Amino acid sequence: MDSLPFPSAVVVWLDPRRPDFGVKLVEDVPEALYSLHRHGLEEAIRGPQSGLWKSAAGALVQAEVDPSPSNLRVAYEAFLQLAKCVAPVPTKIRKVVCPRAPRERIASFFSMA
């Protein structure tokens, strides 16, 4: 079954211990489920953010089984919250890698020039 994409990509570090290593754009439920066990997010299951990890995992599985718009939105929000707490990407980098608003898209275009 094809999964609907997230409303916007979630940006996560490929290796939070090495920020110079780069970032990954997680754009749908299967990528988010895969990312739960990588990119430093897997360590959250045993740490203080274990509740966020379990909440994100449950919401993502629910969205995988029933990809309704409401389930997809809940999964996106839960995964985004987990990524922000466990492996945050600075806003400056996120705006260049994954601009959301038209103003961010224009600014990212000029920052790469």
Side-chain angles (χ1 to χ4, degrees):
M1 175 188 313
D2 288 336
S3 178
L4 297 172
F6 283 151
S8 181
V10 176
V11 183
V12 296
W13 289 115
L14 288 174
D15 185 348
R17 292 171 296 275
R18 292 190 49 211
D20 58 313
F21 197 57
V23 295
K24 172 162 179 51
L25 300 178
V26 178
E27 299 180 306
D28 59 22
V29 171
E31 286 180 16
L33 283 167
Y34 178 80
S35 294
L36 283 178
H37 300 286
R38 282 149 188 81
H39 315 310
L41 299 177
E42 77 280 2
E43 296 168 6
I45 196 167
R46 290 178 217 45
Q49 291 90 8
S50 65
L52 287 174
W53 193 96
K54 291 173 184 174
S55 175
L60 289 165
V61 168
Q62 182 65 31
E64 183 76 359
V65 172
D66 177 17
S68 69
S70 63
N71 285 346
L72 191 61
R73 182 52 131 175
V74 169
Y76 168 76
E77 293 294 335
F79 184 73
L80 178 62
Q81 187 66 28
L82 175 66
K84 283 181 174 182
C85 288
V86 175
V89 175
T91 301
K92 182 178 177 182
I93 293 172
R94 197 241 348 124
K95 284 181 178 179
V96 171
V97 174
C98 185
R100 293 187 179 139
R103 177 177 275 180
E104 288 181 2
R105 288 186 181 107
I106 292 168
S108 71
F109 175 76
F110 287 112
S111 70
M112 292 189 292

